[in-house]
Amino acid sequence: MNLDDILYTGSRPTTLRIVLGLMEDAENSLETYRWAVPALMHSYDTEDKELFDYIQEVFKRKELSPYKPYNKKEKPETSDEKLIRKMVMNEHVMRSKAKMALEELMSQKDAKGDKLFCQKNHWWVVFRLFIDHQVGNVRENRYKEFIELIASLNLISVNAELDMTTLSNISQDIYRYPYIKWQLKIPREVSSRWMSAYTRMCQIAEKLEEILKEKGF
């Protein structure tokens, strides 16, 4: 367990030390649960059993569990508290599923045995399909938010760098449209090179869409 590890709470980087401190000092179960979620996710990502056991110990001390964010001794949750708890859980589940989906995509290979996803502009596919499938509340033209979301997933392997310049260039091509419209937007006259790149983009999109549907998006 490295207390100096960086975690993302929302889009803000925070050390594990601070997150655990806030979890321990929380005055109620809802706050404990709120800070435990990113710590638990980090323990899954890093396969850190020591961290996982420590979080369980804190919950036990507070007579809580990851699946029971309040106990009978406390006042019943208000409707606002219930909404916050559900939002936190949904955010955790979404990020976990998105992380698994992208790691599966990065492992895909083409007919030659090379990585299917291998260029910077292949991130256009991810950005577009995340919008189409409402993953992580990604929205049109919100490139910075998308980059922050991907950074927060702490992907084990990334086949091509994600940067703002490349991502924003999506506005110059057909990939800015929903995936189902790509074929309709193909220019009348295109080079064989353009068509080859388009075919690769469609292969990636088809695979990612399949994975996202499997994950429940």
Side-chain angles (χ1 to χ4, degrees):
M1 180 168 58
N2 186 349
L3 296 177
D4 293 322
D5 281 353
I6 300 297
L7 282 68
Y8 281 83
T9 55
S11 60
R12 297 181 179 180
T14 311
T15 64
L16 176 60
R17 186 190 311 276
I18 292 175
V19 169
L20 293 181
L22 290 168
M23 179 184 70
E24 287 192 32
D25 296 341
E27 295 182 354
N28 57 59
S29 57
L30 190 64
E31 280 298 305
T32 303
Y33 182 80
R34 176 189 174 193
W35 293 110
V37 167
L40 276 171
M41 188 173 179
H42 186 66
S43 73
Y44 297 146
D45 291 342
T46 58
E47 298 182 354
D48 190 335
K49 188 175 185 304
E50 182 185 359
L51 174 58
F52 179 81
D53 290 343
Y54 177 76
I55 296 169
Q56 300 303 310
E57 180 185 327
V58 173
F59 270 84
K60 186 176 181 181
R61 246 187 293 145
K62 295 192 174 192
E63 298 182 1
L64 300 171
S65 80
Y67 309 104
K68 183 183 177 184
Y70 61 94
N71 60 43
K72 294 180 180 179
K73 296 179 180 179
E74 297 183 6
K75 295 179 180 179
E77 286 180 301
T78 65
S79 57
D80 287 343
E81 287 174 333
K82 287 180 180 178
L83 179 60
I84 292 172
R85 177 165 58 83
K86 288 180 180 179
M87 288 175 64
V88 171
M89 175 59 80
N90 289 341
E91 179 77 4
H92 171 61
V93 172
M94 180 281 296
R95 289 178 184 274
S96 296
K97 288 184 176 182
K99 176 183 174 69
M100 289 188 289
L102 291 183
E103 289 181 343
E104 186 173 341
L105 178 66
M106 294 295 169
S107 69
Q108 299 298 311
K109 296 184 178 181
D110 60 19
K112 296 181 180 179
D114 298 323
K115 294 291 187 182
L116 183 64
F117 186 112
C118 59
Q119 296 179 10
K120 285 184 176 183
N121 66 345
H122 290 167
W123 281 107
W124 293 355
V125 177
V126 179
F127 180 70
R128 183 66 255 171
L129 265 68
F130 270 33
I131 294 174
D132 293 352
H133 289 268
Q134 299 181 322
V135 179
N137 198 31
V138 175
R139 291 172 287 176
E140 303 281 358
N141 304 317
R142 299 296 183 92
Y143 309 121
K144 185 173 183 293
E145 292 177 6
F146 175 72
I147 290 173
E148 289 175 346
L149 170 63
I150 298 302
S152 73
L153 299 181
N154 296 315
L155 298 174
I156 296 173
S157 176
V158 176
N159 301 345
E161 181 185 359
L162 171 60
D163 62 63
M164 180 69 76
T165 301
T166 303
L167 187 61
S168 60
N169 282 338
I170 190 175
S171 62
Q172 302 173 19
D173 219 320
I174 67 172
Y175 309 107
R176 68 184 183 275
Y177 298 104
Y179 173 46
I180 59 173
K181 294 185 178 181
W182 287 2
Q183 191 170 6
L184 300 174
K185 299 294 182 179
I186 297 176
R188 290 184 178 180
E189 297 182 5
V190 296
S191 66
S192 58
R193 182 178 179 181
W194 188 96
M195 201 64 199
S196 177
Y198 169 77
T199 300
R200 174 59 70 101
M201 296 290 261
C202 285
Q203 289 173 340
I204 296 170
E206 182 179 341
K207 190 61 190 178
L208 179 56
E209 184 161 66
E210 177 186 323
I211 295 171
L212 290 175
K213 287 180 179 179
E214 289 177 353
K215 303 300 181 190
F217 288 110

